[in-house]
Amino acid sequence: AGAVPEEERCTVERADGSLSTGVMALGLVALRLVAVARCPQAFRALCTRQQLLAAFGERRVRLSTANTYSYRKVDVPFQEYVEQLLKPQDPAALGSDTLYFFGDNNFTEWGPLFEKYVPPPFRIPGTSSAYSFGIAGSGSGVPFHWHGPGYSEVIFGRKRWFLYPPDKTPHFHPNETTLAWLQHTYPTLPPAERPLECTIRPGEVLYFPDRWWHATLNLDTSVFISTFLG
């Protein structure tokens, strides 16, 4: 993505993909941060530009503004989003002026795609899961926010994550994009105030614990899917 840099090193604990489901479940309950590589799957072949446009091009998708309190929603045909709005982030744009496809998926219309997704075998006892599918241009992302636990897998592209524990609120403006924060605020942070961070690549999964602050930055045009546990 050119001007969108990858972090110098990953400070999130990485676990080997051969770990058993039981071990992973124990890790999730203990609120460990885990980035784990897993084998590619057939789902990736369904998420190419050609395949998605053929299957969903005429469907309308709901876009959210890329700010912490994403109030504005815009409905557009999926083909229009891919061909006109899926472009590199303007560093000067505000979050309220940046439209992002993630989260507001119609589970009836997108059901045939979700049915083909095999989620990572990670569970938290007593929770159920819900999918959220996303596609975004390079330099885009969501600014710092928090919610319940879950994990995110990259299908295409690379996604850089920034994370803080619940008791350490990051310094950010809610209407500033992650790219602007990285360029303006991140360089001023003392080492002790920098977030945990890591870039995950296709086939890798990152778990985010309950109530942890996190922001994301797509380094390339990216396709990704998150599983929320609640």
Side-chain angles (χ1 to χ4, degrees):
V4 185
E6 195 169 316
E7 83 294 335
E8 294 182 1
R9 64 190 181 92
C10 178
T11 55
V12 173
E13 177 182 359
R14 280 187 173 273
D16 189 295
S18 64
L19 283 176
S20 69
T21 301
V23 171
M24 291 304 300
L26 179 61
L28 300 191
V29 172
L31 299 186
R32 293 167 56 210
L33 289 163
V34 181
V36 55
R38 70 188 193 125
C39 296
Q41 51 180 305
F43 183 76
R44 191 169 190 263
L46 301 175
C47 296
T48 63
R49 177 188 176 100
Q50 180 179 3
Q51 289 291 335
L52 288 175
L53 285 177
F56 304 102
E58 297 181 358
R59 307 280 178 87
R60 297 186 74 81
V61 294
R62 175 155 293 179
L63 310 180
S64 301
T65 48
N67 59 358
T68 297
Y69 303 110
S70 300
Y71 291 122
R72 188 163 69 97
K73 306 288 185 179
V74 177
D75 293 339
V76 300
F78 180 63
Q79 184 166 349
E80 179 180 331
Y81 173 68
V82 171
E83 295 181 348
Q84 299 182 27
L85 300 176
L86 190 62
K87 55 187 179 181
Q89 173 74 44
D90 178 355
L94 296 175
S96 57
D97 296 325
T98 302
L99 295 174
Y100 193 80
F101 175 48
F102 174 65
D104 289 296
N105 303 135
N106 183 310
F107 282 80
T108 300
E109 292 186 344
W110 290 80
L113 180 67
F114 294 148
E115 288 173 1
K116 303 291 176 47
Y117 180 64
V118 179
F122 312 148
R123 300 289 181 271
I124 295 180
T127 68
S128 58
S129 59
Y131 297 143
S132 188
F133 184 68
I135 303 171
S138 64
S140 65
V142 289
F144 281 105
H145 64 289
W146 59 266
H147 43 65
Y151 43 85
S152 182
E153 178 171 5
V154 171
I155 311 302
F156 286 102
R158 296 168 297 154
K159 182 183 283 288
R160 184 173 174 181
W161 284 72
F162 307 92
L163 306 106
Y164 284 100
D167 60 352
K168 194 171 183 179
T169 303
H171 299 287
F172 73 101
H173 188 286
N175 200 25
E176 181 180 51
T177 64
T178 304
L179 181 60
W181 174 87
L182 178 66
Q183 293 177 340
H184 303 144
T185 302
Y186 183 91
T188 70
L189 297 176
E193 295 183 18
R194 290 197 171 185
L196 290 171
E197 57 183 296
C198 195
T199 295
I200 59 173
R201 296 170 178 79
E204 291 188 322
V205 178
L206 185 139
Y207 169 73
F208 46 88
D210 187 27
R211 298 175 184 268
W212 274 61
W213 289 95
H214 55 280
T216 62
L217 181 68
N218 299 294
L219 304 186
D220 314 295
T221 299
S222 301
V223 179
F224 45 91
I225 186 166
S226 293
T227 304
F228 292 97
L229 304 171

